Amino acid sequence: MKELEIGPLLHEGKAKKVFHTNHKAVVAVQFKDDATAFNAQKKAQLAGKGLLNWEISARLFEALETRGVASHYLGCLEPGWMAVQALKIVPLEVVLRNLAAGSLCKQLPITPGSSLQPALLDLYYKDDALGDPLLTEARLELLALLEPAERVQLEAKSRDVNRVLQQIFVEINITLVDFKLEFGRCDAGKLLLADEISPDTCRLWNQSDQRVLDKDRFRKDLGGVVEAYGEVLKRVQGLGPTPRQYR
Ligand code: TMP
């Protein structure tokens, strides 16, 4: 196989850029320093965030893989970049909530920090122009984004990720409050975990004192965003060896 070469830009999102490569089934993802919140109404550049989320995400995808949960992750390229399987992303955001926080507590009379068992699974339609609306099951069917069997798989896979990620974070004294996942289909049509897993996409609280170690520090102007992400990386580094290089 020829050495991987990065090709033209395929897609630019709020926190990452995705590039074609000379390997048809592989795309290269670059993690950006841009931070956005409230559907990009609030924006900032946070120097170092891209590198932190890149390494945290690579290590978490590897930790999931070791524990039997597959994803699009193939390996790391140069710092800030990873190689992942080329997928057709399903335009859904799957949010799992173990403790009540964020939009759930704004929209419903639920005390922040209440335990949700089983974890609450919320599906949102991924469309910035529409503000990523919360879906009902009927609206999900109306959109016909998933076959009925895929709807079942999506939930089962998401709950597997939650179970295993919770175990991983307990080992490093972090409470996994909630998080967002995205899935894509490979050429054969199989659903696979995609996107990233980082303090941008998870709520993470320090176990001993509930200190916020995620993007809520940015959303709520708590300060110390990059320092908190650095603390998450330090702990995640304790899980295993340096992430593998892609070829
Ligand atoms: P929410 O409480 O704002 O609905 O967020 C739930 C989780 O999903 C939280 O961990 C942050 C994450 N999230 C994203 O990754 N992207 C988004 O666009 C939103 C709104 C939330």
Side-chain angles (χ1 to χ4, degrees):
M1 181 77 90
K2 277 181 289 179
E3 202 177 316
L4 189 85
E5 284 169 23
I6 294 176
L9 182 69
L10 170 65
H11 171 76
E12 178 160 4
K14 286 179 291 212
K16 296 184 292 301
K17 289 182 182 176
V18 183
F19 295 81
H20 288 286
T21 73
N22 57 335
H23 297 190
K24 196 175 157 281
V26 179
V27 293
V29 177
Q30 182 187 26
F31 286 70
K32 308 198 294 186
D33 283 345
D34 303 54
T36 65
F38 315 115
N39 203 11
Q41 289 176 63
K42 179 170 180 173
K43 289 187 200 173
Q45 282 282 311
L46 300 175
K49 182 184 81 92
L51 278 176
L52 289 162
N53 278 352
W54 158 70
E55 189 176 340
I56 293 168
S57 210
R59 286 175 177 274
L60 289 175
F61 279 135
E62 290 195 16
L64 283 170
E65 185 183 279
T66 306
R67 293 160 175 82
V69 178
S71 77
H72 68 159
Y73 173 83
L74 295 171
C76 289
L77 302 168
E78 60 189 89
W81 292 75
M82 63 173 65
V84 306
Q85 278 192 51
L87 301 175
K88 282 216 171 60
I89 297 295
V90 179
L92 289 174
E93 299 198 343
V94 183
V95 171
L96 277 117
R97 302 176 189 275
N98 296 311
L99 298 180
S103 67
L104 182 69
C105 300
K106 287 200 185 118
Q107 294 166 357
L108 295 175
I110 298 180
T111 310
S114 325
S115 168
L116 304 166
Q117 276 181 328
L120 185 67
L121 183 144
D122 284 333
L123 296 174
Y124 297 82
Y125 181 55
K126 184 176 160 64
D127 185 325
D128 285 342
L130 298 176
D132 298 340
L134 177 63
L135 291 172
T136 60
E137 288 297 328
R139 287 181 183 205
L140 179 65
E141 256 182 62
L142 191 65
L143 288 173
L145 295 171
L146 298 169
E147 298 294 331
E150 287 182 320
R151 168 69 186 88
V152 174
Q153 269 177 37
L154 184 91
E155 174 146 3
K157 283 178 191 283
S158 299
R159 291 194 182 279
D160 279 349
V161 174
N162 186 36
R163 181 176 44 79
V164 177
L165 265 189
Q166 276 186 294
Q167 290 166 2
I168 290 169
F169 279 114
V170 162
E171 283 175 33
I172 54 175
N173 301 313
I174 288 175
T175 303
L176 178 62
V177 175
D178 60 25
F179 59 97
K180 184 260 304 186
L181 299 176
E182 295 183 28
F183 289 83
R185 290 189 189 90
C186 64
D187 275 349
K190 199 170 160 244
L191 280 180
L192 196 58
L193 176 63
D195 197 47
E196 68 179 277
I197 302 177
S198 74
D200 267 11
T201 60
C202 302
R203 283 199 172 87
L204 304 171
W205 294 351
N206 187 41
Q207 219 167 56
S208 58
D209 58 5
Q210 265 79 70
R211 185 160 49 95
V212 172
L213 298 175
D214 60 68
K215 197 160 96 174
D216 270 351
R217 300 205 73 86
F218 173 67
R219 295 189 189 96
K220 298 180 175 175
D221 293 321
L222 300 175
V225 184
V226 170
E227 291 74 8
Y229 285 36
E231 178 63 29
V232 173
L233 174 60
K234 201 174 81 190
R235 302 218 202 153
V236 168
Q237 281 171 337
L239 290 167
T242 304
R244 63 175 175 258
Q245 277 295 118
Y246 178 73
R247 264 185 271 267

